[in-house]
């Protein structure tokens, strides 16, 4: 059952509330960065709309494909209303949504750098809802292990009262750090699109390793579905970073030359 907060006669889903707050914060950052870059135009609005629509569809569809035996899944209608949501699927859907929206609008420019810091902040806020409503992680003896309510869905450790990794707090810390680093890098990396590449690569590495302490089911060789999804992605991103490094994409432009002493 979805956790609810009651505000007088209103009942608000906790997870959905923080997702909405995260989307709102991301849109504010997106607009701020678009203004700074002089990119507030019809094309950027269309790209943002494509990201929102594609992200919503991607979250639901990839959350629906949870079983190797697809017949064990609910119907698409049931999954859309009650099913789980996949952050990785949402990011992939948002990326495809932007590509489709730009193609339909005939826009060829790069918009990823507008999204990178916005997505990082939005994810940090949205994950608060996950922390408050979902199984936190695998059992741990570390001093910062947390105890979740016994009625947390799909969490045997919660029912047993075990201390568990606060995996969503790990991700919130990563996303806030990523937001700060990306914000600092904005004027320092001039190559269009590279800020987005750095964010996606960083998140892919983080997500692969944090999966070892999350509560997700392992499917083969003690790896989870997200890890199997990420393995080929990490290889591609690793090659892409190496290529960008060799081409000098990540060198800070020199504003002035130092005079030898």
């Amino acid at each position: 059952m979805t956790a609810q907060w009651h505000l007088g006669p209103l009942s608000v889903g906790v997870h959905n509330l923080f997702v909405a707050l995260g989307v709102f914060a991301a849109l504010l950052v997106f607009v701020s960065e678009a203004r700074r870059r002089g990119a507030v135009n019809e094309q950027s609005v269309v790209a943002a709309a494509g990201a929102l629509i594609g992200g919503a569809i991607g979250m639901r569809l990839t959350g629906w494909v949870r079983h190797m035996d697809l017949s064990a899944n609910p119907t698409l209608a049931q999954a859309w209303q009650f099913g789980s949501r996949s952050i990785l699927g949402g990011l992939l859907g948002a990326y495809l949504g932007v590509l489709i929206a730009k193609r339909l609008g005939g826009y060829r420019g790069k918009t990823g750098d507008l999204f990178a810091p916005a997505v990082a902040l939005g994810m940090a806020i949205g994950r608060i809802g996950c922390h408050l409503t979902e199984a936190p992680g695998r059992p741990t003896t570390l001093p910062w292990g947390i105890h979740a309510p016994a009625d947390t869905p799909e969490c045997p450790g919660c029912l047993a009262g075990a201390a568990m990794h606060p995996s969503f707090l790990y991700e919130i810390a990563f996303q806030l750090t990523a937001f700060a680093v990306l914000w600092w890098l904005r004027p320092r990396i001039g190559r269009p699109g590279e800020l987005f590449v750095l964010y996606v690569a960083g998140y892919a590495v983080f997500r692969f390793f944090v999966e070892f302490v999350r509560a997700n089911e392992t499917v083969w060789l003690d790896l989870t579905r997200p890890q199997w999804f990420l393995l080929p992605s990490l290889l591609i991103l690793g090659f892409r970073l190496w290529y960008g490094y060799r081409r000098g994409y990540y060198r800070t432009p020199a504003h002035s030359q130092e005079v030898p002493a």
Side-chain angles (χ1 to χ4, degrees):
M1 186 175 180
T2 304
Q4 303 281 325
W5 279 349
H6 299 282
L7 306 173
L10 298 177
S11 181
V12 180
V14 175
H15 186 277
N16 291 337
L17 172 63
F18 281 98
V19 169
L21 291 174
V23 170
F24 180 70
L27 285 174
L28 290 180
V29 174
F30 177 87
V31 171
S32 173
E33 186 62 0
R35 285 178 175 171
R36 188 184 75 86
R37 294 173 180 259
V40 179
N41 49 41
E42 182 180 346
Q43 288 82 9
S44 63
V45 172
V46 169
L52 291 173
I53 296 171
I57 295 174
M59 287 178 71
R60 288 299 190 179
L61 288 184
T62 49
W64 170 68
V65 185
R66 299 183 59 195
H67 307 283
M68 302 300 288
D69 177 11
L70 296 183
S71 65
N73 284 308
T75 66
L76 279 175
Q78 291 171 330
W80 189 268
Q81 187 173 5
F82 304 110
S84 62
R85 291 165 286 267
S86 166
I87 289 294
L88 289 176
L91 289 175
L92 178 60
Y95 177 70
L96 294 176
V98 170
L99 290 182
I100 294 171
K102 287 166 61 176
R103 178 59 61 90
L104 293 176
Y107 182 59
R108 302 295 181 183
K110 293 183 179 293
T111 56
D113 292 344
L114 300 176
F115 285 103
V119 170
L121 182 60
M123 291 271 286
I125 297 172
R127 281 306 197 189
I128 297 174
C130 298
H131 174 68
L132 294 175
T133 60
E134 298 182 19
R138 299 180 186 180
T140 181
T141 57
L142 293 172
W144 56 80
I146 62 173
H147 295 82
D151 60 351
T152 302
E154 301 181 14
C155 183
C158 301
L159 190 61
M164 290 166 288
H165 280 282
S167 64
F168 293 118
L169 293 184
Y170 299 160
E171 180 156 353
I172 291 169
F174 168 82
Q175 297 291 357
L176 289 176
T177 302
F179 172 72
V181 171
L182 292 168
W183 200 256
W184 179 78
L185 285 175
R186 294 174 308 148
R188 292 170 171 82
I189 295 182
R191 179 79 179 186
E194 294 308 309
L195 208 62
F196 183 72
V197 171
L198 289 173
Y199 171 68
V200 171
Y203 181 59
V205 172
F206 166 82
R207 181 60 189 269
F208 182 85
F209 285 103
V210 83
E211 279 292 310
F212 287 112
V213 300
R214 288 193 62 181
N216 290 331
E217 174 191 11
T218 57
V219 293
W220 190 42
L221 298 179
D222 287 330
L223 297 179
T224 65
R225 288 184 182 86
Q227 286 175 313
W228 283 111
F229 171 82
L230 286 165
L231 273 176
S233 303
L234 287 170
L235 293 175
I236 296 170
L237 287 166
F239 174 79
R240 178 61 179 76
L241 288 175
W242 172 83
Y243 177 81
Y245 176 77
R246 290 295 300 270
R247 297 294 294 266
Y249 293 169
Y250 309 126
R251 295 174 190 159
T252 301
H255 296 290
S256 62
Q257 291 189 337
E258 296 181 2
V259 178

